[in-house]
Amino acid sequence: MISAIAVLTGSYDYDEVARSVLIAIVASYAALDLTGRVTAVKGGIRLAWLIAGAIAMGFGIWAMHFKGMLAFRLPVPVEYHWPTVLASLLVAILASAVALYLASRQKMGLVAAFTGSIFISAGIAGMHYIGMAAMRLPAITRYSPLLVTFSILLAMLFSLVALLFAFDLREETRWSVPRRLASATFMGVAVSAMHYTGMSAASFIPASPPDLSHAVSIPPIGNSGVVIAALIVLLAAVTTSSVDRRRSEDQLRLVLDALPALVWSKSPDGSADFLNQRFLEYTGLSVEEGLGWGWMKEFHPEDRAEEEWRAAFAAGEPFEREAQLRRADGAYRWFLLRAVPLRDELGNVVEWYGTSIDIEERKRTEAELRESEARFRLVADSAPVMIWMSGTDTLCTYFNKPWLDFTGRSLDRELGNGWAEGVDPEDFQRCLHTYTQAFDRRETFRMEYRLRRHDGEFRWVHDIGVPRFDLDGSFAGYIGSCIDVSEQKRAEEQLRQAQEDLARVTRLVTMGELAAAIAHEVNQPLTAIVTNGQFCLRRLDAATSSPDELRAAITQIVNDGTRASSVIARIRDLLKKGAPNRTELDVNQVIQDVTILLRNQLTRSRVSLRTELASDLPRVTADSVQLQQVLINLIMNAIEAMGTSTNGRREVLIRSAKDPDGVLVQVQDSGPGIEPELENRIFEPFFTTKAKGIGMGLSISHSIIESHGGRLWTVPGSAGALFEFTLPTVEAGVS
């Protein structure tokens, strides 16, 4: 008989205790392995591994605990309330899920680790004491508060250590089997120590038989079954994890071998521990030959400075460099090597990962580009013109040597908008406007402006810019050239002056030809003045003079004097020397002035003049003298052309009309016209069909009209000779 007061004395079956510790070690190893798998995968696969890992890990911890209880022998029969046993199993699974989740996160600080250890230790303690509560025996269970507290503290400490171990070893590239076994052994012993500390906190006092409903006894075969089931579950989890890891590694290796680059990994000191298949195929090395520092001998001797490579790896910072790597056939090709370090939580380099990319074609292209740029620079610097280039932002990026020699400035000072400092201030806004307008429209432009030479003199330059495009058609900026046209401008000015002098001579010649007509034109009003003056004298001598008659005669004298003065003024304007004076004119008025001036010449040549002048013509900006000269040349040519005509009708028709280009003027005669083979030469200087002509009238007329912005041409196929010219209106000139 057992005393009802004495505490039941129990004992341990140490074989069973050893088995429970074995289960704890295997469960710890599985926990570390499963943490690595959960960390390595993402998404739904990660959730599946988290659930399966929690079940396997929780079952292993629970099996260790339950096996530890079965190892304890009491002198009374013990059964177990199976619903409570299942509850303790669920608590173990939940605690395992929390542990796996925390250990597989990207980061875990000390606060998160302490908080997690509290939850995990609560789960382990809950599993333990719920499991103890499942015992059904004729005794009352009493717990020592001190030992219970101590067991919970141990659970917290061991949970924290387990979390840190699992987090540190979760990266599958950071662990080896011996290291993981050592960690698992430590964790398993720690978990067992917590369990058996909790067991020692319980004492059993005999009591009446318990309620055995839903209670089961565990026979010896069931005891062994717990061990076997736990080991099967844990080994299955580890095996599945290993197979999945191997499959992932195989997939990763396939990816690395298929990459169009040489991929490698190296230990912190730079010795290779992995080379992908493409690396081995390119170099012709075997795995054994390439690992360690064997890869170094494949570099070109100029790039094989081992101390420099060791220094780069020792620095611990990402780096890249270009080097020549020998191919299996002995040929060297250029590669770009990039390396980045993998660090642990303390910042120490634990592994190097890198790629080597073939850049032979790029190096060749760069060399060709440098050669092309050198050739372009040589050609540009040797060209007898000043060349510039700009980018897509309008800023200039290049000036050739002739430009720099011309301005006497350095390239740095000219780049960007620096070149504009040399433009004459009077030309700057016009120059800038022309450039920006063409730039925005991607159009070719031409302009002339004054640019300061190195000696301080402003010289006229003619600038031509054209847009340039890349091979894909994208806009790349502008390229342009400038030439010094100061001498040309000076020659043009001299030519213009010579043309003005020649035009004046031509006018003098024309006036000489019209001398008789002009004399008659002036003589008529002078004769009338003399006659009226004599009439006034006679009437004054007579006693019967009438004031009205005298007033009428004097008025006629004034009118005739004004008429003679007008004729002389027109002649003086045609003969005077001076710069052109362009003002707003009525074309019809100019035509009428010329017809008055040539009226007597037309009469003497028996030529009739008819005009068809449009009303409300817009005004034009022109020099009246030059415009009269053009009309006189055309009318005099018409008179001379009809002088040899056998046609009885001699007529000159002058028309004016509105035109899209401004104002149109036509001069047509009834003569024989212009022979077709002469039409293309008729405006050439010194070309004439007249025996005594100098061939400058039409050439000068053509230049005068063009200088006014108009055109002068002949109309082929017309009756007689038909000349037409246009002049832009005042509004068109302003726009």
Side-chain angles (χ1 to χ4, degrees), residues 628-681:
Q628 287 178 16
Q629 181 178 356
V630 171
L631 289 168
I632 290 173
N633 282 337
L634 295 178
I635 295 172
M636 288 298 295
N637 284 346
I639 293 173
E640 292 178 2
M642 291 184 292
T644 59
S645 175
T646 58
N647 188 355
R649 183 176 64 89
R650 297 180 180 181
E651 181 183 69
V652 175
L653 173 61
I654 302 177
R655 296 189 184 93
S656 67
K658 291 182 179 179
D659 186 81
D661 293 332
V663 173
L664 173 68
V665 177
Q666 296 177 323
V667 178
Q668 185 175 13
D669 63 51
S670 59
I674 302 172
E675 298 179 8
E677 60 270 15
L678 301 180
E679 288 180 353
N680 294 331
R681 302 187 59 194

Side-chain angles (χ1 to χ4, degrees), residues 592-611:
Q592 291 171 357
D593 290 343
V594 170
T595 58
I596 293 173
L597 192 61
L598 298 180
R599 181 172 53 191
N600 192 261
Q601 180 67 30
L602 291 167
T603 302
R604 291 179 58 195
S605 301
R606 297 191 302 278
V607 175
S608 64
L609 177 67
R610 183 163 58 91
T611 59

Side-chain angles (χ1 to χ4, degrees), residues 12-30 60-72 181-197 199 223 226-227 230-231 234:
Y12 283 99
D13 183 339
Y14 293 105
D15 290 338
E16 297 294 336
V17 171
R19 295 186 186 97
S20 70
V21 174
L22 175 63
I23 293 174
I25 293 173
V26 174
S28 298
Y29 186 91
I61 295 174
W62 173 86
M64 171 268 157
H65 155 76
F66 198 68
K67 186 62 178 174
M69 289 197 304
L70 293 178
F72 187 62
L181 280 175
S183 300
T185 300
F186 175 81
M187 292 170 60
V189 172
V191 171
S192 299
M194 176 270 163
H195 168 76
Y196 286 108
T197 300
M199 288 291 293
N223 195 343
V226 172
V227 177
L231 292 177
L234 293 174

